[in-house]
Amino acid sequence: MSSASAGAGSTSSTSVDEINVREAIERHDVARLRQLGQQHGFFTTNLRRRAWPILLRCPSSTSSASGSSSPVESAFDASLSTSYAHQIKLDVNRSFVHFKDQLHPSPPANPTAEPPPSIKARRQAQLQRILVRLCARYPFLHYYQGLHDVCTILLLVLDEHLASKAVENLALFFLRDAMHTNIEPVMQLMRAILPIIKSEDRDIYRLLEECELHPYFCLSWFISWFSHDLREFDKACRLFDLFLSSNPIMPIYVAAAVVLERKEDLMELDREYPIVHSFLSKVPQDVPVDTWIQHALRLYRRYPLATIQGMTGWQFDENCAALRFDTDFPSSPLRTSPPASTIEQLMDSASHVAPTNHPDSSGIYAFKPLPLVKRMGRSYVPVDGDAPALILITAVAIGVLSISVGFMQQRVGGSGAGPTAEEAARSIDVLARVLVLLIQRGN
C-alpha cells in the first residue's frame, strides 16, 4: 500500500501518534517534529507534505499543502545554466525506474505497471528543473550522482515549487559534505561506521578487517539517503522522516545497524573481499526499516561523533555539516541559519584543510584512541588499552574509600550518624568486584 492510499484509509481511525504529528505541524514545532520523526515518522504523504517543509524551514503555502502548484510558482528561468546540465540530464533520464506506482493518477492494481508516458515525462522535466536551478543558484555546490534520487523522493511528496525550495536547504545544511569537488569529505565521515561496528560486534569487525573492506559498500546509502537502493516508496519516506529529523550523520548509524542486523548471513560468507563487498552493498528489501531506525538511534546515542573521535583519535572537519548542525540548522525558531555565503566559506575552508590526521588506505583499521582522561564522561565507551588505567583508578578509589571508612569509624563510633561502616564496606566490595573484572579483561 502506498503512503497516499494509507493516508486515505486512516482518516476515520486517526491514531494518537498521528494526532501528535498534526498538532506539531499546526504549531510549526520543529523540535517536536524532529522527535516524532525519529520515533515513528509521519505516516502518510499528506502529513509529510506538511511536515517536511517545516523541518527544512520552507513552510508550504496553501496551494502546495494541497499538492498542487500554480504556473507562476513552477515557473523556470530558461536562462539558468550549469556545467552539470549534461550529467543531470543523463541521471534524470534514468529516474523514476522505481516507485512507479507513485506516478499513476490513482493507485494501480499492479504497482510495477508502467505509468502513462506523459506523466513520467512531466515529472522528469520537473526533476531536471529542480536540479539545474539548485546548481545554477549555488555554483559552489557540486552535483553528484545520487542527488537526483533524493530529489525524486522530495518531488513525489511535495510539488515542484516546494521541492525546489526544500532541496536548497537540504543541500546547504544536510548534504553539502557530498557536494565538494571530490568525494573525500564523505569518505572521511563514512569511516565512522568502523569503530561503531568494532564496539558492537568484534566478529563482524574482524571479518571486515580481514577482508580489508572499506565502507565504500554503503556510499550510495549515505549520499542518496537509501533512496537509490530501496524499492518501496513507504520505506524510503520513513527513512527520510528520520534523516530530516536528525543530524546529517544519521545515515551512517542506519548503515551500521543494517550491517549489524545481517550478522548471521554475513558470518557464513567466504572471507573474500569481492564476496563480502557484494553482499553488503545490497540493501535487504524484506526488513521493516523501523528495525534499522530504532537500532540506529540507540547507536547514535551511544556513539556520538565526539565519542568516535575519542575512540579513534580521528579529527573530523570542524566545518562539516554534522559537527555544525546544531549551529547551522537549530530547531529553535528564534535562531536563524547562516546565509549561503557563509556555507560557501565553510566549504572552501574545509577544502584547504590538509588531511594530516586522516588514515590512509592501510591504516583505516588502526585506531589511536585519545588518552582516557579526555574520553571520560557520559558518552564514554571503553576501548582496547583502557583496562590498566581503569584498574589503577579503581584501586585508588578503593584505597581512598578504605581510608575514609577508617576515619568514619573513629569519628562516628557506631553512633549511627553519617554512612555506616556496613554501607561503606558494601561500596568497597562493589569497587573490588569492578577491579577484579578489569584485571580479568586486561588479561
Side-chain angles (χ1 to χ4, degrees), residues 16-210:
V16 174
D17 291 333
E18 190 173 332
I19 291 173
N20 290 336
V21 171
R22 294 180 184 276
E23 290 178 347
I25 290 173
E26 293 299 326
R27 297 194 306 269
H28 280 227
D29 189 339
V30 175
R32 180 60 171 156
L33 282 174
R34 286 182 178 180
Q35 181 184 36
L36 297 173
Q38 292 182 358
Q39 287 179 354
H40 47 59
F42 304 123
F43 302 109
T44 70
T45 296
N46 288 335
L47 286 178
R48 290 183 174 110
R49 187 172 293 128
R50 299 172 63 194
W52 287 5
I54 296 173
L55 288 169
L56 286 169
R57 294 193 167 193
C58 49
S60 58
S61 63
T62 302
S63 61
S64 62
S66 63
S68 62
S69 58
S70 69
V72 174
E73 287 179 324
S74 296
F76 177 72
D77 185 352
S79 66
L80 290 176
S81 63
T82 171
S83 60
Y84 293 103
H86 178 65
Q87 184 60 57
I88 290 173
K89 182 64 175 176
L90 293 177
D91 290 342
V92 166
N93 288 342
R94 293 189 289 263
S95 64
F96 297 102
V97 174
H98 309 302
F99 318 133
K100 295 176 182 177
D101 56 321
Q102 300 300 312
L103 295 177
H104 290 268
S106 58
N110 180 10
T112 62
E114 288 293 331
S118 60
I119 294 180
K120 183 175 181 178
R122 178 169 61 85
R123 285 297 201 181
Q124 288 181 326
Q126 291 174 340
L127 182 61
Q128 172 86 9
R129 290 194 292 267
I130 289 172
L131 291 167
V132 169
R133 186 185 292 118
L134 172 69
C135 294
R137 290 195 63 183
Y138 305 99
F140 60 90
L141 295 176
H142 299 274
Y143 176 79
Y144 64 88
Q145 290 182 283
L147 182 60
H148 71 290
D149 292 305
V150 177
C151 293
T152 296
I153 300 296
L154 292 179
L155 180 58
L156 288 172
V157 172
L158 312 173
D159 63 76
E160 180 186 353
H161 170 67
L162 194 51
S164 186
K165 292 193 297 183
V167 166
E168 291 185 7
N169 279 351
L170 191 68
L172 291 169
F173 302 107
F174 288 81
L175 300 175
R176 69 171 183 257
D177 295 317
M179 304 189 74
H180 285 266
T181 55
N182 58 64
I183 204 69
E184 178 65 17
V186 166
M187 297 310 300
Q188 296 301 335
L189 288 170
M190 285 175 54
R191 60 191 170 134
I193 193 175
L194 296 176
I196 296 173
I197 292 175
K198 181 177 183 180
S199 295
E200 287 291 303
D201 195 303
R202 293 298 181 98
D203 292 336
I204 295 179
Y205 179 81
R206 280 192 288 266
L207 183 150
L208 300 181
E209 184 178 23
E210 183 177 329

Side-chain angles (χ1 to χ4, degrees), residues 282-325:
K282 296 179 177 63
V283 174
Q285 302 294 325
D286 58 347
V287 179
V289 293
D290 268 293
T291 300
W292 300 338
I293 289 173
Q294 297 311 314
H295 194 168
L297 288 171
R298 291 193 298 272
L299 295 175
Y300 180 75
R301 287 190 291 267
R302 185 172 186 189
Y303 309 103
L305 207 52
T307 296
I308 291 176
Q309 292 184 108
M311 294 165 59
T312 60
W314 298 338
Q315 292 298 311
F316 297 105
D317 172 30
E318 62 181 11
N319 290 329
C320 71
L323 290 180
R324 284 190 55 91
F325 187 66

